[in-house]
Amino acid sequence: MKPNIFSIILNVGTAVVVAALAYGSYKSATIAWSVGICLAIGLVVYAFRFLPEPKKVARKDGAAPSSRSQTRQAAVVVAVIFGLMLVVPTVVLWLGRYSPELGALVGGIALMAIFLILWLRSRYQRSHEADES
C-alpha cells in the first residue's frame, strides 16, 4: 500500500501519542494505570476485527422500512447516548475521589461504549441493507 499524507499523519500522530503516554506513565502511576486500561480496551476493540460478517436477514413482510422510522431510531440512539454522556463526568469524578484507577476505567468504558453502540448499529444496518435495495 502506497503511503499517502493521511497514513503519514496517522503514523506520526500515533508515535507522538505513544511517546507522551510513555513519558507520563514514567512520571505518574495513575497515568500508567490509565494507559494500561486504554491498551486493554484497544486489544478488545482489535479483537472485534475477527468477528464474522453479519448474516443477511430477509424481511418477513417484504416491505422496506420507511425512512422516517429509521430517522426516528437514529434520533433515539443519539439522544440516549448524549443523555448518558452528561452523567459520565459526574460518575467518573465521584469514583475518582475513591480510586483514580477506577474512575479512569469507568471513563474509558463509557467512551468506548459510544463507539461500540454505533458499531453494532452499523453492523445491523449492513445486515439489512440488501432488503432495502
Side-chain angles (χ1 to χ4, degrees):
M1 180 181 215
K2 184 179 176 185
N4 58 22
I5 187 69
F6 299 112
S7 65
I8 293 169
I9 291 171
L10 180 64
N11 290 333
V12 169
T14 302
V16 169
V17 168
V18 166
L21 290 175
Y23 178 74
S25 298
Y26 173 72
K27 290 292 187 182
S28 168
T30 302
I31 294 175
W33 271 99
S34 301
V35 170
I37 291 167
C38 290
L39 285 174
I41 292 171
L43 288 174
V44 170
V45 170
Y46 179 74
F48 280 137
R49 292 180 59 195
F50 302 108
L51 288 177
E53 284 295 320
K55 295 178 182 174
K56 302 291 182 188
V57 178
R59 295 197 187 275
K60 293 179 180 143
D61 58 0
S66 70
S67 63
R68 290 187 86 177
S69 71
Q70 289 181 348
T71 305
R72 236 180 263 130
Q73 290 173 357
V76 167
V77 168
V78 169
V80 167
I81 290 172
F82 182 75
L84 291 175
M85 285 299 111
L86 290 175
V87 178
V88 169
T90 306
V91 172
V92 168
L93 289 173
W94 178 73
L95 288 172
R97 281 188 285 172
Y98 301 106
S99 169
E101 293 82 12
L102 183 61
L105 176 68
V106 170
I109 290 172
L111 288 176
M112 292 308 296
I114 296 170
F115 297 106
L116 179 66
I117 290 168
L118 295 175
W119 178 75
L120 289 172
R121 180 165 166 74
S122 72
R123 279 181 62 94
Y124 175 80
Q125 286 178 333
R126 214 176 307 135
S127 70
H128 288 82
E129 73 185 3
D131 299 334
E132 296 171 4
S133 52

